[in-house]
Every structure is written in C-alpha cells, then in structure tokens.
Amino acid sequence: MADELTTEGEPEEPIKQRKNGLYPGVSDELAENMKSGWADTELRDLAAIPQADRTAARRAALSARFPGERIVVPAGNLKVRSNDTDYPFRASVEYAYLTGNQTEDGVLVLEPEGAGHTATLYLLPRSDRENGEFWLSGQGELWVGRRHSLTEAAQVYGLPVSDVRELADALREATGPVRVVRGYDASVETALHDKVTAERDEELRVFLSEARLVKDAFEVGELQKAVDSTVRGFEDVVRVLDKAEATSERYIEGTFFLRARVEGNDVGYGTIAAAGAHACTLHWVRNDGPVRSGDLLLLDAGVETHTYYTADVTRTLPVNGRFSEVQRRVYDAVYDAQEAGIAAVRPGAKYRDFHDAAQRVLAERLVEWGLVEGPVERVLELGLQRRWTLHGTGHMLGMDVHDCAAARVESYVDGTLEEGMVLTVEPGLYFQADDLTVPEEYRGIGVRIEDDILVTGEGNRNLSAGLPRQGDEVESWMASLKS
C-alpha cells in the first residue's frame, strides 16, 4: 500500500496523516496544481436500483408503524482491522433493507410530516477537491475510489439525499420522540443520547427484524441467485478435492471463496470446511486441518449476493467419493430426518413442526442403534438425543444468515409459517472423537445436510435442490465432476 500525503498548514477540514509518511507536506504550488485540470465526471440520467420501489414500500410501512416519531437508521462506520487498515465495510441490514445503499457513514432519517414522514438519506458527498481530501485523505477518491455525488445518489436510491456531515447538529436540535437503531454509529447515538429510550429503540429493532420474516419477489429472486452460485461453488470444491488432500481444508475454503467473490459480494458467513473429526465441531472455521481419503468433508457455505442476500447450504461428502458402511448409515439417518423436516414446511404449519419432525427421526435411529434407551417419546421429552444432534434444525434466512434474529419469540419460533418465508432445514448427527458412549466405529463422524426452503402457497420449494442430497446421488454426482 502507498503512503498518504499530508498538507502544510491548517486545511478546511483536518485530514488524517500517517505519522511516518515519506512526504513532510504539500507545497502551495502542488496544492493549487491538484485543484484543477480534472474532467467533469458527474454521472447523469442514472437508473434507480432495481429494488427502489421495494425499499420505498418498506419505508412506508415503517412510517405507518411509528407515526409522529423521528426514525434514525444508520449504516455504520468503518472498523479498524489493524493500525490504519480497515475491515471491508458491510452496512447494517436494517439500513440496507430500507435504502438499498451500502456505503459507510450513511444514515436514513424519517422526519414526521403530516400523517406520515419525509425520508432523507444522509451520505458523504464526493471527496473535496478544494481542500485536497480527494488525494490526501486515506478515504479520498484517489485512495479508495469514487463515491456518488449527492445528486447521483438521489437518482440511484429514489429519495432526497443530504450531506451526512451536517446531520449530528440537526439531530442534537431535534424535538419530539425519536427512535434509533443502536449499535452501528456512536456519533449518531451521542447526538441523540438525551432524546431516545432503550425501550423505544428495541421496539424499532424488533419491528425491522419482523418486517423481514416474509420475503417479497425481489428477495426470493436474490436468494435463488445466491443459492445458484453456491451450487456452483460446491461443484468447484468437488473438482479440487485432490488438491485439498495435498494441502488442507483451506484449499476448500479458498476455492469456494473464489466463486463467492466472482459471482457475488462475498461469502455470507465464515465457510465451514470441516474434514474428518472436525465435522463434529459445529462452527469449525479455522479450516486448517488435513483432508484425507476415507474421511467425510462437511462443507457449510453460502454465497452472498451484491444486495446482501445469502445462501446457507451444507453437504457432507466422502472425500474419496464413496461412503463407508458406517458413514452411509449415519448419512442416511440425517437424510431421512431432513426429508421429514422439509415435508413439514408449509403455510399454516407451526414453525417448530419441521424441527420436531426431524428430531423424531434422529431419536428413532439412535434408539434403534442402541445408543440411547427408548422409548422414543422418553428420549424426545428429556432431550437425550441432543448429545448427538446438538443444534436446532433450522433458522430464518435472508440478508443475515440467521435472519430476523431480533423478532419476538411468538412471531418466530412460536409462530406460524407463511408463504414467502425462507428458512433452512439442517438436521445433523455428530459423534465426537472422544465420546465413549458410542461404538468406536461411530467416533469422529459428523454429518449435516442443509437446504434453503421457500414456503409457497402449496407447500414449499427447495431453492438448493440443484445439489444432490440422497447418498447414491451424491456419489454419482461426485464421480461425474471428477471424470
């Protein structure tokens, strides 16, 4: 990375300088030279983002829910990774859901007006050429790229846009009830500290979480795009398993990441590339272990689209392309449990039904294998199967991999499935390598199968059906990719 430059004297706005930069300052002649000689690059007649009508409808619903109250939703700020380097920025889900914008420091404000609200998007303008920000600041245009002008942004996002640098003062002078989405922008919260309450802000957070429970057609389309790219990422991995055997699980992680970055924005969460006994660690993201023929690979991964919608898919694959007898026994139990879970997903069903259906199948197999004493009803009542099943059978999916997490319990896990909801169904069995309560042949085997399921008017649709699940089909699919 190159060094930042610094200016002599006091600029109009202080520009952060690097302590050990190689240039001590900027001459007046250079400063004047850098102000001129640039072409007009303003973009005109820009098209609005595809979801602009959707974001407008979401803001209208938010306005209707909190009449007469000022609503403040920040995007968040850059977070330091180390010293003067930052993590890649990802806007808050609440902000991106309501605006479609993904830039740091942005804030959406809904000002009460009449029976509704006036929405304004507050953004940083293009970096200043007069004070040298565009080439001197580490966040200037020549360092990190061009931002939209405020005029351009208004066209793209379909609502008025103002300079966010003026917002804090305006918020400090605000009167009347205010709600803010907390945890993203300390400067915004500081400006509002005497105007907000934790109770009101939590109600806002819950509302915005529950608003995402049912996906619209645009969102379903984005989720399908994420899944389709994820399917291709899994195919990529199978084709290079020999290279992973020669290196480590990180070859698998890197292979999938390439697909995510080429076709999407990023991975939707840290890829789990767990080979052998690592498959028994639910969120194994170190991915630094060996990949051995004869072991299973549990790959839990998802591509995130450019609009932040993520897939979440898991397949458990025999590294050498063929299940052993005991691996297949465990795999088939999980597959049957998933089949029962998916069959329970339909509008009007209780959210818990798919979990209960899958857990029953797994409990039946554990009793059948003699690993836990029956009857099955006793096992389920006491939760004894959880020693080997560990986690819930699924979760809502959307802009977060565990979407809608702030929703009320009665609206989520104790709620009812509706058309347009998207959730994962992902039962698993995990026999830890040090579990002396199971026969030795089971130890170190972990199996999870996960698909992304859309609730439809008639029942459900498996968005990730492009990846084989049944054992024989998995082996045939792997063989076809390696031939």
Side-chain angles (χ1 to χ4, degrees):
M1 297 177 68
D3 287 334
E4 282 176 47
L5 303 182
T6 61
T7 58
E8 296 174 340
E10 289 295 324
E12 293 176 13
E13 295 183 6
I15 296 174
K16 183 180 178 182
Q17 56 182 309
R18 185 172 289 157
K19 180 178 181 180
N20 286 303
L22 291 174
Y23 288 103
V26 176
S27 67
D28 291 342
E29 290 80 359
L30 177 57
E32 284 301 313
N33 178 276
M34 291 298 290
K35 290 179 183 179
S36 61
W38 304 101
D40 177 12
T41 58
E42 182 75 6
L43 304 175
R44 297 169 177 84
D45 300 321
L46 291 173
I49 55 173
Q51 69 271 38
D53 58 336
R54 312 279 182 176
T55 55
R58 296 164 190 167
R59 294 192 297 271
L62 176 60
S63 172
R65 173 61 181 82
F66 300 108
E69 301 185 49
R70 182 176 283 99
I71 309 297
V72 182
V73 185
N77 315 122
L78 290 169
K79 291 182 173 61
V80 174
R81 180 180 186 272
S82 179
N83 189 21
D84 57 356
T85 60
D86 301 308
Y87 286 105
F89 179 73
R90 189 181 191 275
S92 74
V93 164
E94 295 88 348
Y95 174 86
Y97 179 75
L98 292 167
T99 67
N101 179 257
Q102 299 176 8
T103 55
E104 66 270 16
D105 300 330
V107 184
L108 173 69
V109 178
L110 271 63
E111 296 278 354
E113 182 176 347
H117 289 79
T118 298
T120 303
L121 187 58
Y122 288 85
L123 299 173
L124 286 170
R126 289 186 64 185
S127 47
D128 196 328
R129 292 181 183 260
E130 280 300 307
N131 71 358
E133 177 194 357
F134 80 108
W135 71 289
L136 294 172
S137 168
Q139 294 303 315
E141 187 169 308
L142 300 192
W143 288 86
V144 298
R146 183 186 188 278
R147 295 190 290 262
H148 277 306
S149 71
L150 301 186
T151 301
E152 292 169 351
Q155 297 177 62
V156 170
Y157 302 107
L159 72 167
V161 178
S162 293
D163 190 336
V164 72
R165 294 173 298 185
E166 302 168 359
L167 179 61
D169 288 341
L171 292 178
R172 278 190 284 269
E173 297 172 4
T175 58
V178 182
R179 296 177 190 259
V180 63
V181 178
R182 299 191 183 196
Y184 297 115
D185 193 318
S187 65
V188 168
E189 292 180 36
T190 298
L192 293 171
H193 77 280
D194 59 344
K195 308 175 194 306
V196 296
T197 67
E199 182 180 8
R200 285 205 304 265
D201 293 347
E202 180 61 16
E203 288 175 348
L204 172 61
R205 179 169 173 261
V206 168
F207 173 81
L208 290 174
S209 194
E210 293 186 4
R212 303 197 309 274
L213 282 168
V214 175
K215 271 62 181 178
D216 60 35
F218 175 85
E219 294 178 290
V220 172
E222 289 298 293
L223 284 166
Q224 186 66 70
K225 279 198 284 189
V227 168
D228 292 345
S229 289
T230 298
V231 168
R232 290 187 283 273
F234 274 70
E235 292 171 348
D236 296 338
V237 166
V238 171
R239 291 189 179 100
V240 301
L241 282 177
D242 58 333
K243 293 183 174 64
E245 287 186 65
T247 52
S248 75
E249 295 162 338
R250 291 200 174 174
Y251 202 96
I252 294 165
E253 177 187 350
T255 298
F256 187 85
F257 181 68
L258 177 62
R259 178 66 65 173
R261 287 292 282 169
V262 168
E263 295 192 0
N265 179 56
D266 206 332
V267 290
Y269 52 95
T271 295
I272 299 167
H278 288 162
C280 299
T281 301
L282 299 184
H283 287 169
W284 176 260
V285 293
R286 297 181 202 170
N287 299 337
D288 58 359
V291 179
R292 299 187 179 100
S293 179
D295 283 347
L296 295 176
L297 166 68
L298 189 157
L299 178 59
D300 185 335
V303 172
E304 176 186 85
T305 67
H306 294 291
T307 56
Y308 287 175
Y309 290 87
T310 185
D312 182 9
V313 177
T314 306
R315 290 294 182 267
T316 304
L317 310 170
V319 173
N320 63 12
R322 302 286 294 183
F323 293 102
S324 70
E325 181 181 352
V326 67
Q327 288 170 350
R328 182 62 182 268
R329 186 183 313 146
V330 176
Y331 186 91
D332 285 350
V334 175
Y335 172 78
D336 290 344
Q338 195 200 27
E339 284 283 275
I342 292 173
V345 175
R346 58 183 178 275
K350 294 180 180 178
Y351 177 85
R352 292 181 180 270
D353 286 353
F354 77 94
H355 168 73
D356 293 342
Q359 290 293 300
R360 176 172 291 277
V361 172
L362 295 178
E364 289 170 350
R365 298 301 169 86
L366 292 167
V367 170
E368 178 186 322
W369 297 339
L371 302 185
V372 64
E373 181 181 350
V376 169
E377 294 298 338
R378 167 184 169 273
V379 173
L380 293 170
E381 181 181 355
L382 299 177
L384 301 180
Q385 84 284 359
R386 292 182 62 186
R387 181 181 178 103
W388 303 285
T389 65
L390 292 176
H391 55 80
T393 309
H395 52 80
M396 291 294 181
L397 185 68
M399 297 181 85
D400 278 330
V401 65
H402 296 150
D403 208 27
C404 313
R408 292 168 297 173
V409 171
E410 58 266 32
S411 300
Y412 193 157
V413 296
D414 286 344
T416 300
L417 294 179
E418 299 178 41
E419 182 178 358
M421 289 181 171
V422 180
L423 60 146
T424 67
V425 178
E426 51 174 312
L429 280 175
Y430 312 92
F431 298 105
Q432 305 298 326
D434 59 350
D435 188 348
L436 301 181
T437 70
V438 300
E440 187 174 357
E441 62 178 349
Y442 286 91
R443 297 173 198 166
I445 293 178
V447 174
R448 179 164 68 251
I449 311 172
E450 177 181 21
D451 285 270
D452 301 342
I453 310 299
L454 168 67
V455 182
T456 65
E458 299 73 34
N460 69 69
R461 175 160 61 92
N462 185 348
L463 301 179
S464 45
L467 275 180
R469 293 184 297 122
Q470 193 275 336
D472 289 341
E473 293 176 353
V474 167
E475 291 181 341
S476 297
W477 169 72
M478 292 183 70
S480 70
L481 292 172
K482 291 182 176 182
S483 60

